[in-house]
Amino acid sequence: MLHLINKSPFERNALDSCLRMARPGSAILLIEDGVYAALAKAAHAEKIISRMDDFSFYVLGHDVAARGLNDAPLIEGIDVVDYEGFVDLVAEHDVTQSWL
Amino acid sequence: MAYECNGVTIETDEEGYITDISLWSRELAIRIAEEENIEMDDDHWEVVNFLRNYYEEYQIAPAVRVLTKAIKKTLGVEKGNSKYLYELFPYGPAKQACKIAGLPKPTGCI
Amino acid sequence: MSEMNEFDENGPEVIKRFMYVNRKAPYGTIYALECLEVVLVAAAFDQDVSVVFLDDGVCQLKKNQDTTGIGMKNFSKTYGALDDYDVEKIYVEKESLAARGLTEDDLVIPVEVLAADDLREVMAQQDVIISS
Amino acid sequence: MKFAILINEGPFTHQASDSAYRFTVAALARGYEIYRVFFYNDGVYNSNRFSEPQTDDRNLVSLWAKLGKEHDIDLVVCVAAGLRRGIKDEVLEDGFRISGLGQLVEAGIQADRLVVFGD
């Protein structure tokens, strides 16, 4: 399954809930304000770092760039994708769940 | 659109459902039914009352198949079938019975 | 008005597992109500429908809602009609309930309370997940 | 492979419709079919032809309409959510159509993937 997170972890619990409910082996893509969870130096980084073995993490590069974060280090191991990469992820996984 | 009932004007939406469901009364139901060419008898009232009770309990006007099933459960199989309900309300239990009962359009219409 | 059966030509050869996920509290936003409206319609398509309440979504099912003071419709009563609509798979996450100090007895309808570990497996079996 | 898209937020307030639009364009570029885009909740506002953003801003209403026309995409606005918000045929941009929630469920049945964009 592919999980979509579009909420900042500073604002909502979407990432926490997804990490609690997603089955290991799933992919998690951070988009929109969800990209703040991908920042290596941010307070929530450990949440993702500690689950690197369970999930494959992706972040939408355009949303990172839009927010001025291209100069900020992302958590190592998170793959940056573009919209076509987003489409490929949806195609590769049978189901996509959005954590709205 | 609007209905005149006891000297009061009661507004409806474009399809004839009254817009303020708290203004419903038995007299109004008879007025709406007249507009639909239906003369209310005990069998009509039974369905209309059933719908109003259902709404009171669940806050929705049920979809037709749900209404049929629920009527079957409480009033028996000879009334809980669409043939019977369509004989009473030729344009459909949803369209006409809910309108007469002063309820919104049924929930669950596709 | 179109009523059911109109789409019968599409089914029942394709039966998919549809799960509707509620994670938001009622009234503060419209999502809970409009998700319920989808479920009531979805019930007419002979598919395998389930509804999940987790996080603040569990608050949608809290008993004793009284909306007279806020002027909004108390649609918590409508969950009681889900059974008539043949929606029988209603899951509530145990941890979400506990986190809000609620138990099964606080809910308006009978539900299946599942721990996250079990709910995870139910979610993993779905074909379509619609969140609101 | 056929994709269906559900959009639950209006344009401008939330990024959901922008993301969905860019996703849809990319899916078409990848050669996938878009079976339907369904607009629900405040998403119905994406069809309001009276939207007039500043000229230096993107106009999602016309972007959707144009994309729909170019690729023959079924752009469906929920009637119930629309009525609640005053979105009726009179304000509907060309290329959109108003229909029932059943169209969302049907899209879920027919498409291979359904992606939800919202808040």
Side-chain angles (χ1 to χ4, degrees), chain B residues 54-61 107, chain C residues 22 24-40 51 53 56-68 70-82 108-109 132, chain D residues 40-41 84:
Chain B
Y54 197 93
Y55 186 84
E56 181 61 30
E57 186 166 2
Y58 299 118
Q59 296 293 299
I60 50 168
T107 309
Chain C
N22 289 278
K24 295 188 175 114
Y27 311 117
T29 55
I30 198 172
Y31 303 107
L33 171 63
E34 288 196 326
C35 183
L36 179 59
E37 291 182 349
V38 178
V39 171
L40 293 172
V51 188
F53 298 88
D56 280 351
V58 303
C59 302
Q60 294 178 24
L61 299 180
K62 175 71 179 66
K63 263 184 198 163
N64 295 325
Q65 293 177 29
D66 176 2
T67 57
T68 44
I70 61 170
M72 291 165 84
K73 175 163 149 169
N74 177 1
F75 60 91
S76 68
K77 293 182 175 181
T78 307
Y79 295 104
L82 286 175
V108 282
I109 48 166
S132 54
Chain D
Y40 193 48
N41 295 117
R84 207 171 250 146

Side-chain angles (χ1 to χ4, degrees), chain B residues 53-71:
Chain B
N53 289 336
Y54 197 93
Y55 186 84
E56 181 61 30
E57 186 166 2
Y58 299 118
Q59 296 293 299
I60 50 168
V64 183
R65 69 179 201 295
V66 175
L67 173 69
T68 311
K69 205 176 69 176
I71 287 183

Side-chain angles (χ1 to χ4, degrees), chain D residues 3-66:
Chain D
F3 285 26
I5 312 282
L6 168 60
I7 300 176
N8 287 340
E9 294 300 322
F12 312 119
T13 302
H14 194 286
Q15 198 185 342
S17 180
D18 288 281
S19 297
Y21 176 77
R22 309 226 153 249
F23 178 88
T24 303
V25 170
L28 292 164
R30 277 283 195 255
Y32 295 118
E33 181 190 336
I34 302 297
Y35 181 77
R36 179 170 296 145
V37 181
F38 192 85
F39 297 88
Y40 193 48
N41 295 117
D42 277 4
V44 299
Y45 290 124
N46 283 286
S47 69
N48 187 345
R49 68 185 172 88
F50 293 112
S51 297
E52 278 183 48
Q54 295 268 41
T55 49
D56 61 350
D57 193 5
R58 84 281 186 225
N59 184 336
L60 277 160
V61 177
S62 47
L63 283 174
W64 277 117
K66 188 160 166 272

